[in-house]
């Protein structure tokens, strides 16, 4: 396996700056936003989760960007991602 260095940017996934999470959110607010995101609400936590998990799939599972995005979106929308917390 060859490891190469690459920088990924949220803009590659067509996320806007407004979709970044607030750094001023309390722990309770962050948890609430995260649970809402895992329930399919496209809030700022949703895009953070989407981007982070896509990066893991690309780096660890050698998925393409498009494949990773489809996989994560489907897992969230179908409820499978939330099931992992229950």
């Amino acid at each position: 396996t060859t490891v190469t260095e690459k920088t990924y940017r949220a803009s590659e996934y067509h996320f806007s700056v407004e979709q970044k999470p607030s750094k001023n959110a309390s722990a309770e607010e962050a948890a609430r936003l995260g649970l809402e995101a895992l329930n399919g609400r496209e809030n700022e936590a949703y895009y953070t989760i989407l981007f982070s998990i896509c990066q893991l799939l690309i780096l660890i599972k050698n998925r393409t960007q498009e494949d990773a995005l489809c996989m994560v979106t489907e897992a969230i929308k179908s409820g499978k991602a939330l099931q992992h917390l229950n």
Side-chain angles (χ1 to χ4, degrees):
T1 303
T2 303
V3 177
T4 59
E5 187 174 314
K6 177 165 176 30
T7 301
Y8 292 93
R9 292 181 173 68
S11 61
E12 295 176 17
Y13 293 85
H14 310 290
F15 301 161
S16 72
V17 174
E18 292 79 31
Q19 294 165 321
K20 291 182 181 177
S22 170
K23 293 183 180 180
N24 298 322
S26 67
E28 292 82 9
E29 178 74 2
R32 183 185 64 74
L33 288 170
L35 287 174
E36 287 177 0
L38 291 177
N39 276 298
R41 181 164 181 233
E42 293 185 20
N43 59 23
E44 56 269 33
Y46 175 88
Y47 294 100
T48 299
I49 292 167
L50 194 65
F51 181 72
S52 299
I53 302 304
C54 282
Q55 295 315 299
L56 288 173
L57 289 171
I58 291 167
L59 296 171
I60 295 172
K61 298 291 187 177
N62 201 30
R63 300 289 185 166
T64 65
Q65 180 178 343
E66 295 79 16
D67 187 35
L69 188 58
C70 286
M71 289 175 67
V72 177
T73 301
E74 175 58 30
I76 291 172
K77 298 292 183 188
S78 70
K80 289 179 184 178
L82 185 61
Q83 288 176 356
H84 286 283
L85 295 178
N86 295 329

